[in-house]
């Protein structure tokens, strides 16, 4: 984690809110993640990766306390308490995926996205940015 650089990723121009995971759907080369704001009074956000996901992992936030501590040390608590969407440059997770390829495949285009919600952390390795949109919450 020493070489990782975390950057806030702003896929939509929205007021800072904290989000909760509604669902993760992984079907036929499409990974869809639906989030709702913690008060439940705004539109939901749908994040769709189409045919570009190499790997993803879900972790309950409590089991990422080391990462949370590192973010606080490097960037201050506002960095992660006012933003849930990140891109991680030179990430350990991306390095691990690269090692697993064992020289088969091109890693140059891959990016690490991280959705760091109130209770959940979702890391996604993909070769392009997802489509992100608001959806009605009803």
């Amino acid at each position: 984690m020493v070489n990782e650089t975390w950057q806030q990723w702003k896929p939509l121009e929205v007021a800072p809110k904290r989000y909760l995971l509604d669902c993760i759907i992984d079907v036929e080369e499409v990974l869809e993640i639906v989030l709702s704001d913690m008060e439940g009074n705004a539109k939901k956000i749908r994040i769709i990766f189409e045919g570009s996901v190499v790997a993803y992992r879900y972790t309950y936030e409590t089991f990422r306390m080391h990462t949370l501590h590192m973010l606080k040390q490097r960037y201050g608590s506002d960095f992660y308490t006012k933003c849930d969407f990140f891109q991680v440059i030179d990430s350990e997770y991306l390095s691990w995926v690269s090692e697993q390829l064992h020289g088969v495949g091109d890693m140059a285009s891959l990016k690490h996205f991280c959705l760091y919600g109130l209770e959940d952390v979702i890391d996604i390795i993909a070769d392009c940015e997802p489509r992100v949109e608001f959806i009605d919450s009803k």
Side-chain angles (χ1 to χ4, degrees), residues 110 112 133 138:
L110 296 181
H112 177 180
E133 60 194 21
K138 304 239 183 222

Side-chain angles (χ1 to χ4, degrees), residues 3 27 42 46 65 74 77 79 88 112 117 126 128 133:
N3 297 324
V27 178
R46 179 185 300 151
M65 295 308 288
R74 285 190 191 170
S77 60
F79 181 77
V88 188
H112 177 180
C128 63
E133 60 194 21

